[in-house]
Amino acid sequence: MSDFDLQGIHDFLVGLAQKAGSRIVSANPSTIDTKKNCKNSVTKLSSRPREVTLAVASDLVTETDKAVEDLVSSSLKAAYPDYPFLGEETAKSGRLTPAPTFIVDPIDGTTNFVHAHPYISISLAFAHQQKPLVGVVYNPFTQHLYTAVKGQGAFLTAPKIPSSFPAAGQKVESTYEKRKLPLRSPPPPLPDLSNAIVAVEYGNERAGSNWDCKIGTFSALGRDKSIDGAMVQSVRSMGSAALNMCSVARGDIDLYWEGGCWAWDVAAGWVVVEEAGGMVVGGNKGEWTPKVDGRRYLVLRAGAGKEVVEEFWSKVNGELVYEDTD
């Protein structure tokens, strides 16, 4: 770790995220293309109703995704020519090597972006030996910036809410506040799942064993304890893995269970969560030391212990199994 200027990398990624964010907020997602595992090729957005099949609608990519990744990759290659780049739109494999690597998701939450729902982010990470060391997650619509460097804590920089309205004729001045995560310190303990809000996502696999595992687990989380459920207080499905992880780091989401994501979805948020005192384990029972590219994760906020992990694993209906993992 001492061989790298992690603070310098952090500062560069923050500036790059803000530059890319400006491009995202000024864009109009005019073209929808499909990801690798979809059958349809291109669907144009127009004034007419969209004709989007389920396969496309569950796994979208826009021209803005591609443009932002091009911007990020060219900037990183110019500044750090010796470091590999793993990006969602250009990666031939989702596997992460031990080499020092930048890991990028240009728009995490593309479906939200297409629907003009402002829960999206650009996710930028730097990893070495397959361990994330720097994470930057930025929502350009809310201007919430989450940052973390290994061993230095995690932070949220966001617009400060004014205490009063400006006087007539005066401009609203934007000021920003940087706060250490989690937002509640010390974080309250989480005794069990019945006290929890849990984030989950459907993902783009809508049939097969992984889908059955997810739906069965969702049911078990919500069921009354009298019929062997966890009876969590509520679930949230918000459409951005990186922001879900940052919500766990903040402390307003207690757990986040995910299957089917890739390294670029979780690498930046991983650092933010751990530096905020939380933990990341595997999505299947017994996976205490997950890989960043393992594609199944359980993320817990500070204050949640191993007992909650074990309780959650006991409610997983089967096992999540994905390609490109050991």
Side-chain angles (χ1 to χ4, degrees):
M1 202 184 306
S2 59
D3 295 334
F4 307 108
D5 177 11
L6 295 183
Q7 188 61 48
I9 291 173
H10 163 278
D11 295 347
F12 186 84
L13 293 182
V14 167
L16 189 54
Q18 292 172 330
K19 183 178 180 181
S22 296
R23 178 166 295 190
I24 291 170
V25 297
S26 64
N28 180 22
S30 58
T31 302
I32 300 178
D33 199 354
T34 64
K35 294 281 181 74
K36 305 177 188 70
N37 60 338
C38 298
K39 296 179 181 178
N40 299 64
S41 57
V42 177
T43 301
K44 295 286 187 179
L45 283 178
S46 69
S47 58
R48 296 178 299 170
R50 286 171 292 167
E51 296 178 357
V52 183
T53 67
L54 178 60
V56 178
S58 65
D59 198 7
L60 302 177
V61 57
T62 70
E63 291 300 321
T64 306
D65 291 80
K66 298 175 182 178
V68 170
E69 183 159 316
D70 288 344
L71 167 66
V72 172
S73 64
S74 61
S75 299
L76 288 172
K77 288 174 184 176
Y80 299 95
D82 297 329
Y83 295 164
F85 175 88
L86 182 65
E88 179 179 16
E89 309 310 331
T90 54
K92 296 180 180 179
S93 166
R95 301 307 299 271
L96 182 63
T97 73
T101 304
F102 288 105
I103 309 169
V104 174
D105 190 345
I107 300 181
D108 185 47
T110 302
T111 300
N112 287 343
F113 179 57
V114 169
H115 288 270
H117 181 60
Y119 195 80
I120 70 102
S121 67
I122 176 169
S123 175
L124 306 175
F126 176 75
H128 184 228
Q129 298 295 339
Q130 300 173 314
K131 302 293 184 184
L133 302 178
V134 180
V136 172
V137 178
Y138 180 52
N139 182 338
F141 292 102
T142 63
Q143 298 181 54
H144 283 192
L145 174 67
Y146 300 90
T147 58
V149 176
K150 191 70 175 178
Q152 298 183 27
F155 299 89
L156 165 63
T157 303
K160 188 174 182 180
I161 300 173
S163 58
S164 61
F165 288 104
Q170 291 185 346
K171 293 182 179 180
V172 177
E173 298 292 338
S174 295
T175 59
Y176 292 82
E177 181 179 28
K178 185 175 183 178
R179 301 178 64 185
K180 197 174 191 306
L181 299 178
L183 296 179
R184 291 182 291 175
S185 183
L190 182 67
D192 56 38
L193 290 178
S194 67
N195 291 273
I197 291 179
V198 181
V200 297
E201 299 289 347
Y202 282 148
N204 56 60
E205 286 188 39
R206 302 298 174 87
S209 60
N210 287 330
W211 175 248
D212 293 340
C213 177
K214 286 189 175 185
I215 293 302
T217 302
F218 298 166
S219 176
L221 291 174
R223 282 200 305 267
D224 192 283
K225 288 190 173 185
S226 65
I227 48 175
D228 197 33
M231 201 172 178
V232 299
Q233 290 189 344
S234 192
V235 296
R236 300 288 185 268
S237 184
M238 298 177 287
S240 168
L243 288 179
N244 287 348
M245 295 182 83
C246 290
S247 291
V248 173
R250 284 162 49 121
D252 45 81
I253 293 292
D254 298 297
L255 301 93
Y256 169 40
W257 183 64
E258 180 62 89
C261 279
W262 300 87
W264 46 77
D265 296 304
V266 301
W270 194 299
V271 193
V272 176
V273 167
E274 289 191 336
E275 287 301 304
M279 66 173 139
V280 183
V281 298
N284 291 332
K285 184 176 182 179
E287 296 176 340
W288 287 106
T289 55
K291 295 182 177 180
V292 177
D293 56 4
R295 304 197 63 198
R296 50 188 184 261
Y297 317 94
L298 176 61
V299 187
L300 299 93
R301 68 164 173 84
K306 292 185 176 181
E307 298 81 4
V308 177
V309 175
E310 296 280 8
E311 182 187 4
F312 192 100
W313 280 342
S314 74
K315 303 304 177 187
V316 175
N317 183 54
E319 188 176 49
L320 295 169
V321 179
Y322 293 96
E323 297 178 1
D324 293 327
T325 60
D326 291 336

